[in-house]
């Protein structure tokens, strides 16, 4: 995957609250083009695999349970400087610290149920996109 792509998920809380359209709209308004898109429900095993990097963190079990609690929307997005620009668009992990105008400021409910995922590097964007859309 080129460095102009990133990977995102709309998380279970936001899907449950009917915010798929609102969130995709903010992504498109932010200049991102949807390259791949899929709604699915992760098993606990798959969610655990996706977040394996956080295995030692105290919130890992809760995170796995939450991410497998209902449908998500996985997507690959395209834009120049995609990874960094998308992290700016989603805002801080903790919505209490997210800037005005960000997706998490508008839609996140808590530091865990924070509405969206965004890759933190080009390398992880490629790995995460392959996890869902790998050929
Ligand atoms: P991100 O890159 O902004 O998504 O943040 P991290 O990679 O640090 O964490 C991954 C995900 O774990 C976050 O998006 C949250 O859903 C969850 N998370 C992060 N920190 C905490 C925490 O302190 N408590 C809980 N319950 N969940 C957390």
């Amino acid at each position: 995957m080129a460095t102009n792509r990133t990977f995102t998920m709309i998380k279970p809380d936001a899907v449950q609250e009917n915010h798929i359209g609102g969130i995709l709209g903010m992504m498109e308004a932010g200049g991102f083009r949807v390259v791949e898109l899929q709604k699915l429900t992760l098993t606990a095993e798959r969610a655990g695999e996706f977040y394996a990097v956080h295995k030692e963190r105290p919130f890992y079990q809760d995170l796995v349970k939450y991410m497998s609690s209902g449908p998500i929307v996985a997507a690959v997005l395209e834009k120049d400087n995609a990874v960094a620009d998308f992290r700016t668009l989603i805002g801080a992990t903790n919505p209490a610290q997210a800037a005005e105008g960000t997706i998490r400021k508008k839609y996140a409910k808590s530091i865990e149920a924070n509405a969206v995922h965004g890759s933190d590097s080009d390398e992880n964007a490629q790995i995460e996109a392959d996890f869902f859309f790998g050929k």
Side-chain angles (χ1 to χ4, degrees), residues 11 51 53-54 57-60 62-63 66-67 87 90-94 104 110-120:
K11 295 185 178 183
Y51 282 113
V53 63
H54 292 310
R57 308 279 286 274
F59 58 82
Y60 176 71
D62 284 343
L63 178 60
Y66 158 62
M67 287 302 296
R87 295 288 296 191
I90 67 178
T93 307
N94 185 347
R104 283 171 168 165
S110 68
I111 192 169
E112 178 178 84
N114 59 3
V116 284
H117 168 82
S119 305
D120 63 5

Side-chain angles (χ1 to χ4, degrees), residues 86-100:
F86 192 68
R87 295 288 296 191
T88 301
L89 179 66
I90 67 178
T93 307
N94 185 347
Q97 283 149 20
E100 286 297 336

Side-chain angles (χ1 to χ4, degrees), residues 3-47:
T3 58
N4 62 344
R5 289 188 176 185
T6 192
F7 171 80
T8 187
M9 291 184 285
I10 302 175
K11 295 185 178 183
D13 59 302
V15 172
Q16 171 66 28
E17 305 228 334
N18 218 19
H19 295 317
I20 294 174
I23 289 172
L24 287 177
M26 283 183 77
M27 294 174 185
E28 290 184 333
F32 293 86
R33 178 169 294 277
V34 176
V35 178
E36 303 269 14
L37 188 73
Q38 187 186 3
K39 185 180 178 197
L40 73 155
T41 303
L42 288 168
T43 62
E45 190 184 1
R46 284 280 284 169

